[in-house]
């Protein structure tokens, strides 16, 4: 593990070539995606992947998502299906992860899948992520670039604050436009929503033409990252608040007057994009956080999923 601070790289072609070379050498490189910043490692290099778990302090049983440049690259790693094809056609590149049976001989390190016989794979839409994947020319395992259990990073500054001493470099391209992790759909049995995220469950159901099984009724393994306390700030979080206590800071939504409003106009996409950044800011201020009610439809489901984990009792 490096003792020095991570290199801050720009999105210039030469800096992205350096980022790709670092990945090829087994180093960890954080990079922007449309959802959150990912902590990238060569998915076929077991030692590099081990460093991801070490840097994040992530439980070894929690598998990683592999990022690839296009659908053709995904198909080389997993057993493809007609459902996968329809979802990929509709939502890739974009904030959707598919869990499919892993091809034997894919070359993916066992540490990536945590020994499962399935693989989570996605084609990100962010132009910087796409360019980096093209230059690296191979699958990149990338969890969110935060210490395990803490708030996900939507800026390079968040990444540096959490991991700078533990990784090789961060490619800085400002804030992530979606702001919430990808939606994870399991396709190993009937389609299941394993994690709500940047694409609304309703939109996926419309493409598949069948309702998605909710994660809770899924046979194991579920998305193990769905641990109850996750995305947690260091301060207490109270949800569905209509009257704020004196010691609390309000994280607002819709028509409430406050300093940090996720979306004064009640737009759920805007709220998703602001969510983690505002949580980081309020966390740094150190006062308990009260959150306005957020409608539980469309992207609101993913926002409420993350908030309920932020508010859950912490493991001691
Ligand atoms: O938007 C995203 O998906 C971001 C960016 C960086 O792409 N990545 C991300 O990764 O959120 P991470 O590691 O924070 O979350 C990955 C989730 C975890 O809940 C993990 O348990 C689940 O994916 N997962 C990975 N492989 C799986 C598998 N084979 N079966 C079921 N769940 C899996
Ligand atoms: Mg994460």
């Amino acid at each position: 593990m490096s003792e020095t601070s991570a290199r801050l790289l720009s999105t210039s072609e030469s800096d992205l070539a350096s980022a790709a070379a670092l990945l090829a050498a087994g180093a960890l490189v954080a990079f922007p995606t449309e959802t959150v910043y990912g902590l990238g490692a060569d998915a076929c290099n077991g030692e590099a992947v081990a460093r991801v778990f070490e840097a994040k302090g992530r439980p070894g049983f929690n598998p990683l998502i592999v990022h690839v440049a296009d659908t053709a690259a995904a198909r080389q790693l997993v057993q493809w299906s007609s459902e996968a094809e329809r979802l990929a056609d509709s939502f890739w590149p974009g904030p959707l992860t598919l869990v499919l049976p892993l091809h034997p001989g894919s070359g993916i390190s066992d540490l990536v899948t945590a020994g499962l016989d399935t693989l989570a794979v996605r084609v990100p839409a962010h132009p910087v992520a796409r360019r980096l994947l093209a230059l690296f020319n191979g699958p990149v395992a990338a969890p969110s670039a935060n210490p395990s259990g803490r708030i996900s990073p939507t800026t390079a500054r968040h990444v540096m604050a959490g991991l700078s001493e533990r990784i090789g470099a961060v490619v800085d391209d400002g804030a992530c436009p979606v702001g919430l992790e990808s939606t994870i759909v399991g396709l190993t049995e009937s389609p299941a929503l394993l994690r709500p995220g940047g694409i609304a469950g309703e939109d996926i159901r419309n493409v598949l033409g069948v309702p998605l099984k909710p994660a809770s009724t899924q046979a194991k393994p579920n998305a193990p990252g769905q641990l109850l306390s996750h995305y947690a700030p260091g301060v207490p979080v109270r949800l569905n608040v209509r009257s704020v206590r004196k010691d609390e800071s309000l994280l607002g939504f819709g028509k409430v007057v406050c300093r940090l409003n996720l979306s004064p106009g009640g737009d759920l996409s805007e709220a998703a994009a602001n969510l983690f950044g505002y949580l980081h800011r309020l966390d740094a201020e150190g006062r308990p956080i009260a959150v306005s009610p957020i409608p539980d439809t469309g992207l609101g489901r993913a926002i409420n999923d993350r908030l309920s984990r932020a508010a859950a009792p912490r493991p001691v």
Side-chain angles (χ1 to χ4, degrees), residues 90-133:
S90 303
F91 301 116
W92 278 358
L96 173 69
T97 294
L98 299 177
V99 174
L100 290 156
L102 179 67
H103 263 322
S106 65
I108 298 291
S109 156
D110 287 341
L111 275 179
V112 169
T113 56
L116 301 175
D117 54 7
T118 56
L119 182 71
V121 64
R122 91 174 183 98
V123 177
H126 196 293
V128 172
R130 292 175 67 75
R131 186 65 194 143
L132 179 59
L133 287 167

Coordinates of all heavy atoms in Angstrom, one line a residue, residues 90-133:
S90 N -31.4 -1.3 -24.2 CA -32.2 -0.1 -23.7 C -31.3 0.8 -22.8 O -31.5 2.0 -22.8 CB -33.4 -0.6 -22.9 OG -34.2 -1.4 -23.7
F91 N -30.5 0.2 -22.0 CA -29.9 1.0 -20.9 C -28.3 1.1 -20.9 O -27.8 1.8 -20.1 CB -30.3 0.5 -19.5 CG -31.8 0.5 -19.4 CD1 -32.5 -0.6 -19.2 CD2 -32.5 1.7 -19.4 CE1 -33.9 -0.6 -19.1 CE2 -33.9 1.8 -19.2 CZ -34.6 0.6 -19.1
W92 N -27.7 0.4 -21.7 CA -26.2 0.5 -21.8 C -25.8 1.3 -23.0 O -26.4 1.2 -24.1 CB -25.6 -0.9 -22.0 CG -25.4 -1.6 -20.6 CD1 -25.7 -1.2 -19.4 CD2 -24.9 -2.9 -20.5 NE1 -25.4 -2.1 -18.5 CE2 -24.9 -3.2 -19.1 CE3 -24.4 -3.9 -21.4 CZ2 -24.4 -4.4 -18.6 CZ3 -23.9 -5.1 -20.8 CH2 -24.0 -5.4 -19.5
P93 N -24.8 2.2 -22.9 CA -24.1 2.5 -21.7 C -25.0 3.2 -20.7 O -25.7 4.1 -21.2 CB -22.9 3.3 -22.2 CG -23.3 3.9 -23.5 CD -24.3 2.9 -24.1
G94 N -24.8 3.0 -19.4 CA -25.6 3.7 -18.4 C -25.7 3.0 -17.1 O -25.0 2.0 -16.9
P95 N -26.4 3.6 -16.1 CA -26.4 3.1 -14.7 C -27.1 1.8 -14.4 O -28.0 1.8 -13.5 CB -26.9 4.3 -14.0 CG -27.8 5.0 -14.9 CD -27.2 4.8 -16.3
L96 N -26.9 0.8 -15.1 CA -27.5 -0.5 -14.9 C -26.4 -1.6 -14.8 O -25.5 -1.6 -15.7 CB -28.4 -0.9 -16.1 CG -29.0 -2.3 -16.0 CD1 -30.0 -2.4 -14.9 CD2 -29.7 -2.7 -17.3
T97 N -26.5 -2.4 -13.8 CA -25.6 -3.5 -13.6 C -26.4 -4.8 -13.8 O -27.4 -5.0 -13.2 CB -24.9 -3.5 -12.2 OG1 -24.0 -2.3 -12.2 CG2 -24.0 -4.7 -12.0
L98 N -25.9 -5.8 -14.6 CA -26.5 -7.1 -14.7 C -25.7 -8.1 -14.0 O -24.5 -8.2 -14.2 CB -26.6 -7.4 -16.2 CG -27.5 -6.4 -17.1 CD1 -27.4 -6.8 -18.6 CD2 -28.9 -6.3 -16.6
V99 N -26.4 -9.0 -13.3 CA -25.7 -10.2 -12.7 C -26.1 -11.4 -13.5 O -27.3 -11.7 -13.6 CB -26.1 -10.3 -11.2 CG1 -25.6 -11.6 -10.6 CG2 -25.7 -9.1 -10.4
L100 N -25.1 -12.1 -14.0 CA -25.3 -13.2 -15.0 C -24.3 -14.3 -14.6 O -23.3 -14.1 -13.9 CB -25.1 -12.7 -16.4 CG -26.1 -11.8 -17.0 CD1 -25.5 -10.9 -18.1 CD2 -27.3 -12.6 -17.5
P101 N -24.6 -15.5 -15.1 CA -23.7 -16.6 -14.8 C -22.3 -16.3 -15.4 O -22.2 -15.9 -16.6 CB -24.3 -17.8 -15.5 CG -25.7 -17.5 -15.6 CD -25.8 -16.0 -15.8
L102 N -21.3 -16.5 -14.6 CA -19.9 -16.2 -15.1 C -19.4 -17.3 -16.0 O -19.7 -18.5 -15.8 CB -19.0 -16.3 -13.8 CG -17.5 -16.0 -14.0 CD1 -17.2 -14.6 -14.5 CD2 -16.8 -16.3 -12.7
H103 N -18.8 -16.9 -17.1 CA -18.2 -17.9 -18.0 C -17.0 -18.5 -17.4 O -16.1 -17.8 -16.9 CB -17.6 -17.2 -19.3 CG -18.6 -17.2 -20.4 ND1 -19.3 -18.3 -20.8 CD2 -18.8 -16.3 -21.4 CE1 -20.0 -18.0 -21.8 NE2 -19.7 -16.8 -22.2
P104 N -16.9 -19.9 -17.3 CA -15.6 -20.4 -16.9 C -14.5 -20.0 -17.8 O -14.8 -19.8 -19.0 CB -15.9 -22.0 -16.9 CG -17.3 -22.2 -17.5 CD -17.9 -20.8 -17.8
G105 N -13.4 -19.7 -17.3 CA -12.3 -19.3 -18.2 C -12.4 -17.8 -18.6 O -11.7 -17.4 -19.5
S106 N -13.2 -17.0 -17.9 CA -13.3 -15.6 -18.2 C -12.0 -14.9 -17.9 O -11.8 -13.8 -18.4 CB -14.4 -15.0 -17.5 OG -14.1 -15.0 -16.1
G107 N -11.2 -15.5 -17.0 CA -10.0 -14.8 -16.5 C -10.2 -13.8 -15.4 O -9.3 -13.2 -14.8
I108 N -11.5 -13.6 -15.0 CA -11.8 -12.7 -13.9 C -11.3 -13.3 -12.6 O -11.5 -14.5 -12.3 CB -13.3 -12.4 -13.8 CG1 -13.8 -11.8 -15.1 CG2 -13.6 -11.6 -12.5 CD1 -13.3 -10.3 -15.2
S109 N -10.6 -12.5 -11.7 CA -10.1 -13.0 -10.5 C -11.2 -13.5 -9.6 O -12.3 -12.8 -9.5 CB -9.3 -11.9 -9.8 OG -9.3 -12.1 -8.4
D110 N -11.0 -14.6 -8.8 CA -12.0 -15.1 -7.9 C -12.4 -14.1 -6.8 O -13.5 -14.2 -6.3 CB -11.5 -16.4 -7.2 CG -11.5 -17.6 -8.1 OD1 -12.1 -17.6 -9.1 OD2 -10.7 -18.5 -7.7
L111 N -11.5 -13.2 -6.5 CA -11.7 -12.2 -5.5 C -12.8 -11.3 -5.9 O -13.6 -10.8 -5.1 CB -10.5 -11.4 -5.2 CG -9.5 -12.0 -4.2 CD1 -8.3 -11.1 -4.1 CD2 -10.2 -12.2 -2.9
V112 N -12.9 -11.0 -7.2 CA -13.9 -10.1 -7.8 C -15.3 -10.6 -7.5 O -16.2 -9.9 -7.0 CB -13.8 -9.9 -9.3 CG1 -15.0 -9.2 -9.9 CG2 -12.5 -9.2 -9.6
T113 N -15.5 -11.9 -7.7 CA -16.9 -12.5 -7.5 C -17.1 -13.0 -6.1 O -18.1 -13.6 -5.7 CB -17.1 -13.7 -8.5 OG1 -16.0 -14.6 -8.3 CG2 -17.1 -13.2 -9.9
A114 N -16.0 -12.9 -5.2 CA -16.1 -13.5 -3.9 C -16.5 -14.9 -3.9 O -17.2 -15.4 -3.1 CB -17.0 -12.7 -3.0
G115 N -16.0 -15.6 -5.0 CA -16.2 -17.1 -5.1 C -17.6 -17.5 -5.6 O -17.9 -18.6 -5.7
L116 N -18.5 -16.5 -6.0 CA -19.8 -16.8 -6.6 C -19.6 -17.3 -8.0 O -18.6 -17.0 -8.6 CB -20.7 -15.6 -6.6 CG -21.0 -14.9 -5.2 CD1 -21.8 -13.6 -5.4 CD2 -21.8 -15.9 -4.3
D117 N -20.6 -18.0 -8.5 CA -20.5 -18.4 -9.9 C -21.2 -17.4 -10.8 O -21.6 -17.7 -12.0 CB -20.9 -19.8 -10.1 CG -22.3 -20.0 -9.6 OD1 -23.0 -19.0 -9.2 OD2 -22.8 -21.2 -9.6
T118 N -21.5 -16.2 -10.3 CA -22.1 -15.2 -11.1 C -21.2 -13.9 -11.1 O -20.3 -13.8 -10.3 CB -23.5 -14.7 -10.5 OG1 -23.2 -14.3 -9.1 CG2 -24.4 -15.9 -10.5
L119 N -21.4 -13.1 -12.1 CA -20.6 -11.8 -12.2 C -21.6 -10.6 -12.4 O -22.5 -10.7 -13.2 CB -19.7 -11.9 -13.4 CG -18.8 -10.7 -13.6 CD1 -17.7 -10.7 -12.5 CD2 -18.1 -10.8 -15.0
A120 N -21.3 -9.6 -11.7 CA -22.0 -8.3 -11.9 C -21.2 -7.5 -12.9 O -20.0 -7.3 -12.7 CB -22.1 -7.5 -10.6
V121 N -21.9 -7.0 -14.0 CA -21.1 -6.4 -15.1 C -21.9 -5.2 -15.6 O -23.1 -5.2 -15.5 CB -20.9 -7.4 -16.2 CG1 -22.1 -7.9 -16.9 CG2 -19.9 -6.8 -17.3
R122 N -21.2 -4.1 -15.9 CA -21.9 -2.9 -16.4 C -21.0 -2.2 -17.4 O -19.8 -2.2 -17.3 CB -22.5 -2.0 -15.3 CG -21.6 -0.9 -14.8 CD -22.5 -0.1 -13.9 NE -21.8 1.1 -13.3 CZ -21.9 2.4 -13.8 NH1 -22.7 2.6 -14.9 NH2 -21.3 3.4 -13.3
V123 N -21.7 -1.5 -18.3 CA -21.0 -0.6 -19.3 C -21.4 0.9 -18.9 O -22.5 1.3 -19.1 CB -21.5 -0.9 -20.8 CG1 -20.9 0.1 -21.7 CG2 -21.2 -2.3 -21.2
P124 N -20.4 1.6 -18.3 CA -20.8 2.9 -17.9 C -20.9 3.9 -19.0 O -20.3 3.7 -20.1 CB -19.6 3.3 -17.0 CG -18.4 2.5 -17.4 CD -19.0 1.2 -18.0
A125 N -21.6 5.0 -18.8 CA -21.9 6.0 -19.9 C -20.9 7.2 -19.8 O -20.8 7.9 -20.8 CB -23.3 6.5 -19.7
H126 N -20.3 7.3 -18.7 CA -19.4 8.6 -18.5 C -18.3 8.5 -19.5 O -17.6 7.5 -19.6 CB -18.9 8.6 -17.1 CG -18.3 9.9 -16.7 ND1 -17.2 10.5 -17.3 CD2 -18.8 10.8 -15.8 CE1 -17.0 11.6 -16.7 NE2 -17.9 11.9 -15.8
P127 N -18.1 9.6 -20.3 CA -17.1 9.6 -21.4 C -15.7 9.3 -20.8 O -14.9 8.7 -21.5 CB -17.2 11.0 -22.0 CG -18.1 11.8 -21.2 CD -18.9 10.9 -20.3
V128 N -15.4 9.8 -19.6 CA -14.0 9.6 -19.1 C -13.8 8.1 -18.7 O -12.8 7.5 -19.0 CB -13.8 10.5 -17.9 CG1 -12.5 10.1 -17.2 CG2 -13.8 11.9 -18.3
A129 N -14.9 7.5 -18.1 CA -14.8 6.1 -17.8 C -14.7 5.3 -19.1 O -13.9 4.3 -19.2 CB -16.1 5.6 -17.0
R130 N -15.4 5.7 -20.1 CA -15.4 4.9 -21.4 C -14.0 5.0 -22.0 O -13.4 4.1 -22.6 CB -16.4 5.5 -22.3 CG -17.8 5.1 -21.8 CD -18.9 5.7 -22.7 NE -19.0 5.2 -24.0 CZ -19.4 3.9 -24.3 NH1 -19.9 3.2 -23.4 NH2 -19.4 3.5 -25.6
R131 N -13.4 6.2 -22.0 CA -12.1 6.4 -22.6 C -11.0 5.6 -21.8 O -10.2 4.9 -22.4 CB -11.7 7.9 -22.6 CG -10.4 8.2 -23.3 CD -10.5 7.9 -24.8 NE -9.2 7.9 -25.5 CZ -8.9 7.1 -26.4 NH1 -9.7 6.2 -26.9 NH2 -7.7 7.1 -26.9
L132 N -11.1 5.6 -20.5 CA -10.2 4.9 -19.7 C -10.3 3.4 -20.0 O -9.3 2.7 -20.1 CB -10.4 5.2 -18.2 CG -9.5 4.4 -17.2 CD1 -8.1 4.8 -17.5 CD2 -9.9 4.8 -15.8
L133 N -11.6 2.9 -20.1 CA -11.8 1.4 -20.4 C -11.2 1.1 -21.8 O -10.6 0.0 -21.9 CB -13.2 1.1 -20.3 CG -13.8 1.0 -18.9 CD1 -15.4 1.0 -18.9 CD2 -13.3 -0.2 -18.1

